[in-house]
Amino acid sequence: MVALPSLSPPPPRPSPSPATPRRRPPPPPPHATSSPPRVRSRLATVVSAASGVTDGYHSTIRSLNSRGRHVPRKSLGQNYMLNSKVNEELVAAAGVEEGDVVLEIGPGTGSLTAALLDAGATVFAVEKDKHMATLVNDRLGSTEQLKIIEEDITKFSVRSHFLPFLEENSHHTRKYAKVVSNLPFNVSTEVVKLLLPMGDVFSVMVLLLQDETALRFADASIQTPEYRPINVFVNFYSEPEYKFKVERTNFFPQPKVDGAVISFKLKNSGDYPPVNSAFNGKRKMLRKSLQHLCSSSEIEAALANIGLPVTPLAVLFLPSVTAGGPTSIQHQGKYLPPSNSSIPTLSTSSSIKTLTAATDQSPLSPPLRFSIRRRRPNQSPRGGGDLGFPRRRLPPRCRPLLPSSITGGLRRVACPKMRPVFCGNLDYDARQSEIERLFSKYGRVERVDMKSGYHGASLLFLVDGLGSTFPA
Ligand SMILES: C[S@@+](CC[C@H](N)C(=O)[O-])C[C@H]1O[C@@H](n2cnc3c(N)ncnc32)[C@H](O)[C@@H]1O
């Protein structure tokens, strides 16, 4: 916590006093850096035309002191922007212009709010801290151009509270709003998850985040361990772009890390990758499921082009039961098989395909359980079958139920032991019930555990069953 100096009248630099021993010295001239091109801007104390107030270290302190020595709260990520130039660059990055409607998260002292109002926007500001909501209200006033509400953005219902405001202020024309915010670092991911799927409300979202987070959202490569479920999510719903770095000296109190501005151009639902479409007809050939996008021959050609078959199940998105990563990966909108050719890329889909066919043809009793074991990365195949999984000795009570001519090289066995099935590379918003339904045709699904953050997969599901299907 930082004890704030009293600044009446404001000294050029706050001098230390015994009453405020932990006070930080005023920051050196802060800089915003941009790459590329690398832009360095000096701290500019800019007079806001809308408010007639200045933004900078002293005015920030003054504003805070006006609320009874309000102390910035770390838990609320209260690191205020001292550099009006950065605020202007945020506004410019979002292309805010006269008549735009902007959702601002955490207006704080109102420095960014003032820049948005200057650009001619109508601002809807959501502030969790009641002191800061009152402060920004006192400073800029609740006018027709500005609405401030005291609310936690993570609990805020955009559709019921912001949409009516947007409709009213865009005079009932079909206009998209923008999101611009110097966001508290600790809610960045939650805000991204909340707002990115709203391509029908917002056209662009420009956020000042922790530099590391901005890089992770925008620059993570599918080939690296940094590629996480959140990247699948971000790229599904938007086109992210890292704009520029903002050095920590631009904030008060100074955080331990640098910030960066990132913009997300939100996609409309029509532009989402066809993951849901592929799942709509899980048992149909992909050329059928995706036929509303383009002709069957084009789909077949596209799949052949990237080396994938036209399977009935979504091999592109569904199970990845491989030695060390997803069976298929997305790269620049294309789904590619993994580069490591020793991984049996199509093994899982072929198994499922075969099983699907067998289940369709034969009423099986007792119910069969479905399971595929993932080979550990350092485990040799031990002469495993064509699926690349290790051969295993069947427990004595297990018995083959179907000849391999029907199962196509897979033996179905009734086995009392529970076995896990690992599936990766799933649609980000795939639901537990969908997985259960999908696998229920192979028997009773005992449990589905949804995991996240699994290396190389978007989500990991664990399905327990009572029986197994083994490579022959
Ligand atoms: C990093 S400060 C930015 C303040 C101001 N926009 C600026 O640029 O100086 C973050 C602001 O968000 C507010 N805040 C923190 N958590 C919030 C939440 N969950 N919902 C809404 N506002 C929040 C804080 O109170 C603080 O005012």
Side-chain angles (χ1 to χ4, degrees):
M1 289 289 194
V2 177
L4 297 170
S6 166
L7 292 172
S8 183
R13 281 175 167 253
S15 56
S17 83
T20 56
R22 292 167 63 211
R23 185 182 58 223
R24 290 170 193 230
H31 294 95
T33 55
S34 173
S35 65
R38 205 171 157 82
V39 173
R40 305 200 127 235
S41 49
R42 301 200 120 256
L43 167 65
T45 301
V46 173
V47 179
S48 158
S51 56
V53 292
T54 56
D55 282 310
Y57 178 76
H58 299 302
S59 55
T60 301
I61 303 293
R62 229 181 356 259
S63 300
L64 294 172
N65 278 343
S66 73
R67 300 302 315 154
R69 298 176 69 84
H70 178 75
V71 176
R73 286 167 67 187
K74 203 172 169 188
S75 63
L76 288 177
Q78 290 178 335
N79 302 100
Y80 301 105
M81 176 46 62
L82 302 177
N83 188 345
S84 300
K85 189 83 186 141
V86 173
N87 286 332
E88 285 166 11
E89 287 180 20
L90 268 164
V91 173
V96 175
E97 54 189 36
E98 189 80 36
D100 277 349
V101 178
V102 174
L103 173 67
E104 187 194 357
I105 302 156
T109 55
S111 61
L112 175 58
T113 322
L116 290 164
L117 294 172
D118 284 351
T122 302
V123 180
F124 188 104
V126 181
E127 172 58 62
K128 185 174 177 184
D129 185 335
K130 72 168 186 247
H131 295 289
M132 301 315 290
T134 316
L135 188 154
V136 76
N137 196 37
D138 290 351
R139 180 183 174 184
L140 301 170
S142 229
T143 64
E144 273 192 5
Q145 226 195 317
L146 172 64
K147 180 168 181 171
I148 303 154
I149 64 158
E150 188 196 320
E151 176 67 279
D152 179 341
I153 188 65
T154 61
K155 303 195 177 118
F156 177 69
S157 168
V158 171
R159 296 205 181 271
S160 44
H161 295 113
F162 179 74
L163 259 189
F165 179 85
L166 171 62
E167 272 163 23
E168 193 182 315
N169 286 283
S170 55
H171 308 291
H172 303 279
T173 56
R174 190 69 200 88
K175 191 166 180 175
Y176 294 100
K178 296 175 175 174
V179 183
V180 184
S181 171
N182 169 10
L183 209 58
F185 291 171
N186 53 353
V187 294
S188 344
T189 305
E190 256 183 287
V191 166
V192 162
K193 283 185 182 168
L194 177 76
L195 299 181
L196 275 197
M198 296 193 183
D200 57 329
V201 180
F202 303 107
S203 56
V204 69
M205 174 155 88
V206 173
L207 304 177
L208 203 174
L209 308 172
Q210 187 176 333
D211 186 42
E212 198 187 323
T213 312
L215 280 169
R216 188 153 41 83
F217 283 154
D219 283 357
S221 156
I222 188 117
Q223 309 290 2
T224 67
E226 278 74 53
Y227 200 79
R228 298 284 157 88
I230 189 68
N231 296 107
V232 177
F233 181 91
V234 164
N235 291 320
F236 185 90
Y237 288 112
S238 72
E239 288 166 22
E241 188 188 344
Y242 182 95
K243 291 287 191 183
F244 54 89
K245 185 170 173 177
V246 180
E247 286 173 9
R248 64 193 79 178
T249 49
N250 286 287
F251 299 90
F252 172 82
Q254 191 173 305
K256 292 201 176 82
V257 289
D258 293 323
V261 172
I262 181 170
S263 99
F264 301 89
K265 193 166 163 240
L266 271 67
K267 294 179 192 167
N268 243 315
S269 55
D271 302 325
Y272 294 157
V275 177
N276 288 331
S277 316
F279 269 100
N280 281 345
K282 294 183 187 85
R283 299 171 75 174
K284 285 187 192 148
M285 291 290 182
L286 281 175
R287 67 169 162 272
K288 190 99 181 147
S289 315
L290 304 177
Q291 67 185 359
H292 60 288
L293 297 174
C294 45
S295 72
S296 303
S297 54
E298 282 172 309
I299 291 167
E300 275 180 36
L303 289 170
N305 195 24
I306 56 173
L308 289 171
V310 191
T311 53
L313 278 172
V315 58
L316 306 184
F317 315 107
L318 242 182
S320 104
V321 190
T322 64
T327 41
S328 60
I329 50 180
Q330 191 187 13
H331 179 59
Q332 294 174 346
K334 284 185 173 182
Y335 288 86
L336 306 169
S339 50
N340 182 351
S341 57
S342 67
I343 294 172
T345 318
L346 301 176
S347 59
T348 315
S349 60
S350 341
S351 331
I352 293 173
K353 190 172 164 186
T354 312
L355 283 167
T356 306
T359 313
D360 288 347
Q361 288 159 17
S362 325
L364 300 169
S365 165
L368 293 179
R369 310 295 169 207
F370 170 79
S371 171
I372 292 179
R373 279 241 316 218
R374 193 170 71 95
R375 179 157 59 89
R376 288 192 197 95
N378 57 359
Q379 189 179 359
S380 82
R382 282 198 285 139
D386 51 9
L387 292 177
F389 301 108
R391 275 186 197 281
R392 292 183 306 153
R393 197 179 283 222
L394 299 182
R397 273 187 292 161
C398 294
R399 59 199 162 83
L401 295 177
L402 288 172
S404 65
S405 56
I406 294 178
T407 60
L410 295 169
R411 275 200 285 161
R412 289 168 164 271
V413 291
C415 174
K417 210 170 159 196
M418 279 204 191
R419 306 216 181 271
V421 177
F422 292 92
C423 304
N425 226 19
L426 290 160
D427 185 1
Y428 188 83
D429 55 3
R431 300 221 183 98
Q432 182 161 328
S433 56
E434 287 178 311
I435 303 303
E436 259 170 26
R437 212 172 38 249
L438 176 64
F439 281 90
S440 63
K441 43 179 127 82
Y442 307 110
R444 189 156 56 88
V445 175
E446 290 293 311
R447 197 176 76 237
V448 178
D449 283 346
M450 299 186 74
K451 312 255 185 235
S452 59
Y454 178 68
H455 170 81
S458 28
L459 282 173
L460 180 69
F461 295 90
L462 175 65
V463 182
D464 286 346
L466 292 175
S468 297
T469 297
F470 295 96

